[in-house]
Amino acid sequence: MIGVKAFFYEYKYYLYPDGCDLSQLKRMDHVRVQRLTEEFCMAPNFVEESIVEENLAIENPERLFDVDVNLYTREEYDALLKKQVERVCKGCVSFGGDSSDLTGHHREMGLDGVCYLREEESSPWDFATCIQAFSDFASERIDELAACIDRGDQKKLNRILNSALSKLFTELNFVGAKKDGQYFLFICSSPETSDVSHVLNGYVAQMMMKIAFHERGWQVMSYRAAGIYPYTGKTTFDGNVCSVYPLDEFHCGIRIYAKNPSTRKQETMLQDFDDLLCSLAGENAVRTFVMEYAISDDAPKSTVKEAANALLARYFAYIKNLPPETGYPYPVPYGVDESAAAVAFPLREGITEGYTRCTYYSFLGKEDAENMAELLRLFPFAYLVCPTAASDPELSAALLWYLSNADKIPEPYRNPEDPRISAANLGMAFCRGGEAIVDFAVASENLLLRTLRALAPVLQKIGATLVFVKGENVTRYRCGYTFTEEHI
């Protein structure tokens, strides 16, 4: 049956009960329905043999969406899929060469013949796959890492981790710690570290936690945590040694007292002060607010502890207004003046306000993109343009829920054995025309497309467009079950 009316709710598909439509369904709390599972098929095409009866509780009616589906027998579906396998799968490392054996193909490719999991021998690894390989390597050496922490041997800890990471990405600065029997691994930054690097570090930490470290009771964090990270510097900062001064309504700078220090001494003092402040207030608080350090012979007003407490007070006041799931680096608000010449890429011209975890990407201009081409090949920038979401609060809330809960995509479409994370959500902006824009730093282009395909009914309702910035190339897609390239 072609063009059967159905509905989509929290990543699952259902047939409407007899005589019911979407408006009626939104007024129901519970309903007995037939669920269209993606066993041996892929939406929007389903097989009759995979339909199951289910009692559905509808607690969030704004997450309900109309959808047209097609129903086939298993025999009909397999015959259509076999033709696509014969057309598409040759040359893929996962293809055994026998198109009559459809094992695995049902969850990999739909009847449109598009497969985002295809991989050839010559296919380069994307960032997600590189960090998965590193995380596997690190997890296999977790006992060695624990022994390094027990001995306080940070140099060997870094040698072990960077021996693999440097071949896949770049070296990072790791510090291990132990408190109350629990092991911690911190990815440290410096005051000069860019916000895109903070996002990258956060991705690495998140991947390591997904692969073995969480199961073993470790905490891997992309910042030095207050009260756990041990100060490693050699400078003693006793008494009043610093002054905190405002740079704007949000950020501040810190002057550190010293009388005519040498250039080398200045560098050591600044590094040690930052290290001590991060151990007291947490690197997440320090990097959020402190934009600069300076050496000064002016009379100091605060101890390091007082400066840390002041930062912590600002930090807790700030994060209490953020959603609980918000991670570091934290989003900062921004606005673009109507007369601004910073038109970056398609459909971003009308941005008036928003928030971002990465100003490097959210304010990316074409000239900037050329300078950052190498980074954008490793970690591309992408954004969803949603024409009606900003003017419809329910639609906007539904979109954000779906984007934030991809882990709820049902198996077998979601492969629980694949720990890779497709992208890091950077923030959201709103435009004069009522559009909403959601920004991503992309770790795997194919995984992101496959993930967004899972919420096709939502994106189609909104009329969403996806724009990719990869190296010097900009590609624009109309969102749906297939991503149709639009010429700019």
Side-chain angles (χ1 to χ4, degrees), residues 58-76:
I58 303 173
E59 297 177 356
N60 300 280
E62 72 276 4
R63 298 175 194 163
L64 288 163
F65 290 87
D66 263 324
V67 63
D68 289 327
V69 302
N70 304 314
L71 290 178
Y72 300 90
T73 65
R74 173 75 184 276
E75 183 179 358
E76 291 170 336

Side-chain angles (χ1 to χ4, degrees), residues 223 250 284-285 288-289 312-334 354-357 400 404 425-428:
Y223 57 87
F250 192 79
N284 50 342
T288 299
F289 298 107
L312 283 170
R314 295 179 68 178
Y315 166 74
F316 288 121
Y318 172 57
I319 65 168
K320 74 177 182 181
N321 296 317
L322 298 176
E325 67 275 8
T326 304
Y328 174 79
Y330 304 107
V332 295
Y334 71 89
Y355 56 90
T356 180
R357 299 170 62 210
L400 291 177
S404 302
N425 192 322
L426 299 181
M428 194 171 186

Side-chain angles (χ1 to χ4, degrees), residues 73-264:
T73 65
R74 173 75 184 276
E75 183 179 358
E76 291 170 336
Y77 189 99
D78 283 359
L80 293 170
L81 183 61
K82 182 174 181 289
K83 290 180 181 179
Q84 295 291 7
V85 169
E86 292 171 345
R87 182 181 69 84
V88 173
C89 295
K90 185 179 180 180
C92 176
V93 295
S94 300
F95 182 49
D98 181 5
S99 61
S100 63
D101 181 7
L102 297 178
T103 304
H105 287 290
H106 295 96
R107 63 162 300 276
E108 295 170 346
M109 182 170 64
L111 295 186
D112 55 10
V114 177
C115 179
Y116 294 116
L117 299 176
R118 179 183 176 85
E119 185 181 350
E120 299 177 11
E121 290 287 350
S122 60
S123 299
W125 282 7
D126 54 31
F127 187 72
T129 304
C130 289
I131 302 307
Q132 179 190 4
F134 164 70
S135 300
D136 286 334
F137 169 89
S139 68
E140 290 167 3
R141 286 153 181 81
I142 197 167
D143 292 330
E144 292 178 60
L145 300 176
C148 289
I149 293 171
D150 291 339
R151 294 193 307 269
D153 193 346
Q154 305 293 349
K155 288 184 179 179
K156 185 173 182 181
L157 179 111
N158 275 272
R159 279 200 305 272
I160 292 170
L161 293 170
N162 283 311
S163 66
L165 188 58
S166 60
K167 297 172 186 175
L168 298 166
F169 171 39
T170 187
E171 288 193 3
L172 295 175
N173 180 22
F174 295 92
V175 172
K178 188 177 182 181
K179 184 172 183 179
D180 299 330
Q182 183 178 20
Y183 289 98
F184 293 83
L185 193 61
F186 305 115
I187 303 174
C188 305
S189 68
S190 72
E192 291 76 35
T193 300
S194 68
D195 54 8
V196 68
S197 294
H198 288 301
V199 172
L200 286 162
N201 293 350
Y203 182 92
V204 174
Q206 193 176 1
M207 279 294 298
M208 292 179 76
M209 283 296 286
K210 287 194 76 173
I211 300 178
F213 283 82
H214 176 70
E215 293 175 5
R216 293 286 296 272
W218 284 54
Q219 278 288 327
V220 183
M221 306 170 77
S222 62
Y223 57 87
R224 291 168 271 187
I228 302 172
Y229 169 77
Y231 172 56
T232 59
K234 294 183 173 64
T235 307
T236 301
F237 296 98
D238 292 328
N240 291 342
V241 293
C242 63
S243 298
V244 180
Y245 56 93
L247 291 172
D248 54 42
E249 291 183 3
F250 192 79
H251 300 107
C252 67
I254 299 180
R255 294 189 188 94
I256 303 149
Y257 176 76
K259 196 77 170 177
N260 299 321
S262 66
T263 301
R264 185 173 179 180

